[in-house]
Amino acid sequence: MSRQTSRFDAKKVNAEFLTLTYGALVTQMLRDFENVEDVNKQLERIGYNMGMRLIEDFLARTQAPRCLEMRETADRIQQAFRIYLNVQPSISNWSPALDEFSLIFDSNPLTEFVELPQDLTNLRYSSIFSGCIRGALEMVQLEVQCWFAQDQLKGDNVTELRVKFIRRLEDAIPAGED
Amino acid sequence: MTVFNLYIFDKFGTLLYYTEWNRTKKSGMTKEEEAKLTYGMLYSIKSFVAKISPHDPREGFLYYKTNRYALHYLETPSGLKFVLNTDTAALNVKELLQLMYAKVWVEYVVRDPLWTPGTPVTSELFQTKLDEFIKQSSIFGLRSI
């Protein structure tokens, strides 16, 4: 499967294709799970698994070195959104300790043709983003929390994704060494 | 010039892949033992280099050389470790490893849905592509040992 897809450059795939495929995935999951919370959780989990792999592609493309502080990390995430989704979120709302920031999206490619029905106000439609960021950063030894503070689907002006640094994960020591 | 062998480790020290080309002397242990020994040494060198460096070490440990071979080390920020043994005359091995990471590892392992991260790679396609990649590189010449 990966053979056929790898021939397409990521930039050359029509954005609508992604939007609609993602829409189909969410629709199917809403049908499969009774509970909206479960769908949120599953989308997050799928995103996490994607992020774990996507980070390798990102590192290979950009040859980015390890980040020393959250500002750099924020810039890289911004860069990643540009590479993979061709959108440039702006970074703002830094916490005083510089361990928490927001990614502000004026438009979200995943929700291009989407309107949330009344009974699905609990659905975090783009949960895949937060999972993806969490999975990718975990692979570079950063534990973060990631959630939606504002969502255009819920009537807000912009979509705001909040990222909070929790801790730096330590390198594993080889087995047999104390 | 020539290439001897290649180890790929993940950040937990799991041997994800091993292959060899012109290796004439065996270590006399199993592949697993040898990998463990190699990883342990790399881990020690890495922390040694970081601690002993008189400057802030930017890239850390890159390679070492003996009179018969050179060991080249590339670690990605995600903790993957590529270790390539070549003869001592090989040039630009770091660039080669970086290219291998981007063109072979990401392409044929990370994008392979059948591969579970953190497990050894068994994909034949990856093996073929890696072999091609190394054999085409300028440092893989005739053996001159």
Side-chain angles (χ1 to χ4, degrees):
Chain A
M1 197 180 88
S2 59
R3 302 301 88 70
Q4 281 104 50
T5 47
S6 62
R7 252 187 277 131
F8 296 109
D9 194 307
K11 285 174 198 115
K12 286 177 194 147
V13 177
N14 194 328
E16 289 181 7
F17 178 66
L18 172 78
T19 311
L20 296 174
T21 315
Y22 186 69
L25 174 74
V26 178
T27 319
Q28 185 61 45
M29 285 173 77
L30 284 168
R31 228 175 274 145
D32 288 352
F33 299 97
E34 308 266 298
N35 193 336
V36 177
E37 269 311 308
D38 285 346
V39 178
N40 289 337
K41 245 179 251 164
Q42 286 298 323
L43 286 173
E44 227 263 343
R45 201 178 61 94
I46 294 172
Y48 177 83
N49 289 333
M50 280 171 64
M52 278 174 78
R53 289 178 188 245
L54 209 54
I55 186 76
E56 299 290 354
D57 185 74
F58 178 76
L59 293 172
R61 266 172 208 255
T62 58
Q63 301 197 12
R66 197 167 273 230
C67 295
L68 299 172
E69 48 171 291
M70 279 308 272
R71 273 177 191 283
E72 281 178 66
T73 312
D75 286 344
R76 297 278 152 66
I77 295 175
Q78 189 185 34
Q79 188 188 5
F81 272 104
R82 202 166 56 227
I83 294 179
Y84 295 112
L85 289 165
N86 203 18
V87 289
Q88 177 132 342
S90 53
I91 295 166
S92 63
N93 300 347
W94 281 96
S95 66
L98 294 181
D99 63 345
E100 205 178 320
F101 61 91
S102 292
L103 295 157
I104 312 276
F105 297 84
D106 295 327
S107 68
N108 176 350
L110 289 186
T111 56
E112 196 80 351
F113 313 112
V114 180
E115 260 179 60
L116 275 193
Q118 286 293 316
D119 54 328
L120 289 180
T121 43
N122 284 333
L123 177 69
R124 288 190 296 276
Y125 187 85
S126 315
S127 277
I128 206 155
F129 281 173
S130 43
C132 208
I133 292 178
R134 201 168 58 84
L137 290 186
E138 192 173 305
M139 294 300 281
V140 289
Q141 323 286 79
L142 287 173
E143 190 179 321
V144 296
Q145 243 173 24
C146 195
W147 69 94
F148 284 94
Q150 293 187 68
D151 197 334
Q152 278 165 320
L153 283 182
K154 298 184 181 155
D156 297 313
N157 273 334
V158 289
T159 298
E160 178 180 354
L161 193 54
R162 198 99 180 113
V163 181
K164 183 179 168 47
F165 170 77
I166 306 292
R167 67 195 173 101
R168 192 174 275 276
L169 303 163
E170 292 303 322
D171 264 356
I173 298 167
E177 235 180 83
D178 284 315
Chain B
M1 289 199 276
T2 187
V3 176
F4 300 119
N5 54 356
L6 170 79
Y7 303 85
I8 303 174
F9 296 100
D10 75 355
K11 64 175 158 193
F12 304 111
T14 318
L15 181 67
L16 298 180
Y17 192 72
Y18 173 78
T19 187
E20 57 187 42
W21 289 275
N22 297 321
R23 182 177 182 172
T24 49
K25 185 180 166 297
K26 303 280 179 250
S27 60
M29 17 180 185
T30 64
K31 197 175 87 178
E32 288 72 25
E33 281 176 317
E34 190 186 283
K36 227 178 238 179
L37 205 60
T38 310
Y39 187 81
M41 178 198 65
L42 292 169
Y43 187 87
S44 307
I45 294 184
K46 206 181 110 183
S47 57
F48 175 78
V49 166
K51 285 198 182 94
I52 219 74
S53 167
H55 294 289
D56 183 25
R58 269 211 200 104
E59 295 186 273
F61 170 51
L62 298 173
Y63 68 93
Y64 74 69
K65 233 178 223 189
T66 72
N67 58 351
R68 299 297 293 275
Y69 77 102
L71 177 143
H72 302 266
Y73 178 77
L74 175 77
E75 183 175 339
T76 69
S78 56
L80 272 177
K81 294 158 181 82
F82 295 89
V83 182
L84 190 71
N85 285 318
T86 68
D87 67 321
T88 52
L91 295 169
N92 298 330
V93 183
K94 197 188 158 215
E95 284 73 17
L96 183 83
L97 284 176
Q98 182 72 46
L99 204 62
M100 187 184 87
Y101 171 51
K103 292 278 178 283
V104 190
W105 181 262
V106 169
E107 200 80 6
Y108 298 101
V109 176
V110 178
R111 291 189 184 168
D112 177 2
L114 296 177
W115 175 69
T116 321
T119 57
V121 177
T122 47
S123 154
E124 270 178 38
L125 185 69
F126 169 69
Q127 293 176 16
T128 322
K129 293 288 175 183
L130 178 70
D131 197 55
E132 266 172 34
F133 179 83
I134 293 292
K135 284 186 174 157
Q136 275 168 10
S137 72
S138 59
I139 60 168
F140 190 93
L142 289 170
R143 63 177 81 179
S144 60
I145 310 167

